[in-house]
Amino acid sequence: MRKAIRTINTFLLAVGLGTYGSVAHAQDVPSDYQQVLKLVGKSGDYKANVLKVNVPRNDLHVTIADYPVPTPFGFGGWFAMTKGDGGDDVMMGDLVLLQAEVNPVMSALLEHGLEVTALHNHFFWAQPEVFFMHIHGHGKAVDLANQIKPALDLIGHAAPAPATGNAPASASAKSTLDTARVAKIVGHEGEQNGAVYKITLGRDDLNVKEMGATINARMGLNTWAAFVGTNEDAAVAGDVAMLETEVTATLKALRGHGLEVVAIHHHMTNSRPVVIFLHYWGRGPADKLATGFKAALDELGKGSKR
């Protein structure tokens, strides 16, 4: 533990020195960016032609391996804007969220026309557990501010997930799911493995290579859904393999059907085309869960069908 604390202290010192050494001259804030700050009710600064708005999680008291760390250690969320072609702005950002905030914030972003490009953890042994959501948008600065504000308003205020004292349906030794009905809804057959019924689909429409080798479903390039429980009270978890252009539509399909997204990331970094993976989870009637998974499936491969 002492070694871990020394490592953290060394890192904090390095971060502080790095911040001190990267001083940029402040510029007059353009009028549209002044409006952005007023609309979102946040502080920020304008340097190197970039408006950076701070979204710090000062409401959190985080420990890493039982060591208390301050907000600037890594819990200062932000979004930034800079001018692109035609006078429009490009917006990027990183929002720091508790588990209960992730899906409500994601839905708010998607419903207002913004993109979610990554969702992941930064730390292990963190209490409370904190996740980081990367966002992207393009348009007029004031419009972007109005698009992001509903999501910002949820941070620190999202209701926690309801606690359940009952054992999940997966605890039963035998699943009573109508798997034939699930397969019919999804449009693909699956395999039974104990209490779990799993449907796995490859991306045969993609020609993915890694050092000359073909990356197929058995090598991990697949989309799947695992169902367990009863027809009335089932659970589903799975993974969706997407092209970059399919991410936002797939997210909307899952969230629109009440399924929760728990991770978005790369699995393969040297392969082409780039494939993005997301993990999801849901609980409820089996028909509803299968319909949500089917909706996500329907967003895959559209580019190759045009």
Side-chain angles (χ1 to χ4, degrees):
M1 179 60 69
R2 290 180 179 176
K3 182 177 180 182
I5 291 174
R6 286 198 301 271
T7 301
I8 292 173
N9 285 335
T10 301
F11 181 79
L12 282 169
L13 177 60
V15 170
L17 290 174
T19 302
Y20 180 79
S22 58
V23 176
H25 293 292
Q27 298 172 279
D28 292 334
V29 181
S31 60
D32 56 346
Y33 287 167
Q34 292 179 29
Q35 288 181 269
V36 168
L37 294 174
K38 183 177 180 180
L39 281 168
V40 299
K42 304 288 184 182
S43 63
D45 59 77
Y46 181 65
K47 301 174 184 177
N49 300 317
V50 173
L51 174 72
K52 187 167 184 180
V53 181
N54 304 311
V55 191
R57 292 308 303 265
N58 295 321
D59 58 313
L60 303 181
H61 302 283
V62 183
T63 62
I64 308 296
D66 296 325
Y67 184 85
V69 292
T71 300
F73 181 69
F75 309 102
W78 57 272
F79 70 89
M81 296 182 181
T82 192
K83 290 288 183 287
D85 293 334
D88 281 352
D89 276 84
V90 174
M91 181 175 73
M92 296 183 179
D94 192 5
L95 304 180
V96 182
L97 306 171
L98 295 174
Q99 292 179 99
E101 297 168 338
V102 168
N103 281 281
V105 168
M106 180 182 291
S107 287
L109 292 166
L110 295 171
E111 288 166 5
H112 290 84
L114 297 179
E115 295 181 339
V116 176
T117 57
L119 171 66
H120 51 75
N121 57 296
H122 275 187
F123 303 96
F124 286 150
W125 308 294
Q127 293 295 330
E129 291 189 75
V130 180
F131 293 84
F132 298 78
M133 183 179 292
H134 293 266
I135 63 173
H136 174 267
H138 181 263
K140 299 300 181 184
V142 173
D143 293 338
L144 293 171
N146 283 315
Q147 288 173 281
I148 195 174
K149 190 178 188 305
L152 298 180
D153 289 344
L154 292 174
I155 297 176
H157 303 288
T164 57
N166 300 325
S170 58
S172 58
K174 184 178 180 181
S175 175
T176 60
L177 280 174
D178 183 349
T179 56
R181 181 170 176 79
V182 170
K184 183 177 180 179
I185 293 172
V186 175
H188 298 274
E189 296 286 338
E191 295 182 350
Q192 192 78 41
N193 185 356
V196 176
Y197 183 69
K198 185 176 181 180
I199 299 173
T200 304
L201 304 165
R203 288 299 305 259
D204 295 334
D205 57 315
L206 304 181
N207 182 25
V208 180
K209 299 282 188 179
E210 183 79 34
M211 298 182 68
T214 299
I215 307 302
N216 57 21
R218 289 179 58 84
M219 289 291 291
L221 181 57
N222 58 57
T223 293
W224 58 270
F227 295 86
V228 70
T230 67
N231 294 332
E232 297 76 23
D233 184 17
V236 66
D239 203 358
V240 182
M242 310 163 291
L243 294 175
E244 295 167 294
T245 54
E246 298 168 343
V247 171
T248 296
T250 303
L251 289 172
K252 286 183 176 180
L254 290 170
R255 291 299 300 137
H257 287 81
L259 296 177
E260 294 192 347
V261 176
V262 297
I264 310 170
H265 49 69
H266 303 274
H267 276 188
M268 301 168 289
T269 57
N270 295 316
S271 60
R272 293 293 181 274
V274 174
V275 179
I276 308 296
F277 295 82
L278 71 79
H279 294 272
Y280 64 91
W281 151 268
R283 187 172 179 183
D287 283 7
K288 181 179 179 181
L289 301 180
T291 300
F293 178 58
K294 169 63 173 172
L297 282 184
D298 288 344
E299 297 300 332
L300 304 181
K302 283 186 173 180
S304 60
K305 296 174 184 175
R306 289 171 182 154

